[in-house]
Amino acid sequence: FILENNKRLKFDGEAGDAEARRLVDVCFETTFTDDMELFSKNLDNVFWAEEGLKTQEFKKKHACALFKYLISNAPRKFYIADCVKERTDEYIASNSDLFVWFKDNYIESEEDKSYIKCKHIYDDYKESNEWETLERKNRPKVNAFVDDIRSNKHLKMYYKDRYKISQTSEVNKVLVGWRAKTDKEKEEDEDEDEKEDKNKEGYAEKWRNEVIK
């Protein structure tokens, strides 16, 4: 299944391994435009838009051209570049509300035998803004929440039903190799996000000014 979009779509629910194996998110970096100001900048990824390609006649005639070409010419095994794999993984992760919230509040730990009980994660989740925005009927019970962690593509490899922390004791239902972020680490993340947003705004403003010129 091939889908071309100007903007990446949101998933309806969580994407598992089956969906992830079938999903390849390729960024189409080329821009076609009839804006002379933009075109005159001689950018290597900006090309003149051919209006004839937008007619219904052309669309109808060539609607399946790419699909037919791939069926006839594509190799049985596709090469997927590392940058595409990373982009696809980021896309999947960004559509997991649970994982986005988790990454905002937890960080991988370099300490041996570090772990977090899923019950403690659940208690933190219940205190979050994400929990408050959920309708009551959509707020998971603790067992359902643990199941979500256990099946989450980006978390399940860290999940242990039983985890031995010493010769004589063990804990149940934990994520190993993670710890809660400190308040300082959360503040630093917020500062980075704010800086990134400002950079994006500055780039957009610069772009608008260039186009106006």
Side-chain angles (χ1 to χ4, degrees), residues 142-199:
V142 62
N143 288 338
F145 183 80
V146 174
D147 282 341
D148 287 342
I149 289 177
R150 185 162 38 201
S151 61
N152 184 276
K153 179 183 184 300
H154 295 87
L155 294 176
K156 67 180 185 178
M157 65 284 293
Y158 303 105
Y159 176 82
K160 300 287 185 184
D161 258 333
R162 293 182 177 180
Y163 184 56
K164 200 167 187 178
I165 57 177
S166 70
Q167 291 295 326
T168 57
S169 62
E170 65 179 23
V171 288
N172 298 328
K173 297 180 179 178
V174 300
L175 286 184
V176 298
W178 291 83
R179 64 170 175 82
K181 287 183 180 179
T182 64
D183 289 340
K184 182 179 180 181
E185 286 171 331
K186 290 182 181 179
E187 289 175 3
E188 289 174 350
D189 286 346
E190 290 175 359
D191 290 342
E192 284 297 317
D193 290 342
E194 186 177 341
K195 186 185 298 183
E196 185 176 338
D197 289 341
K198 286 182 178 178
N199 287 339

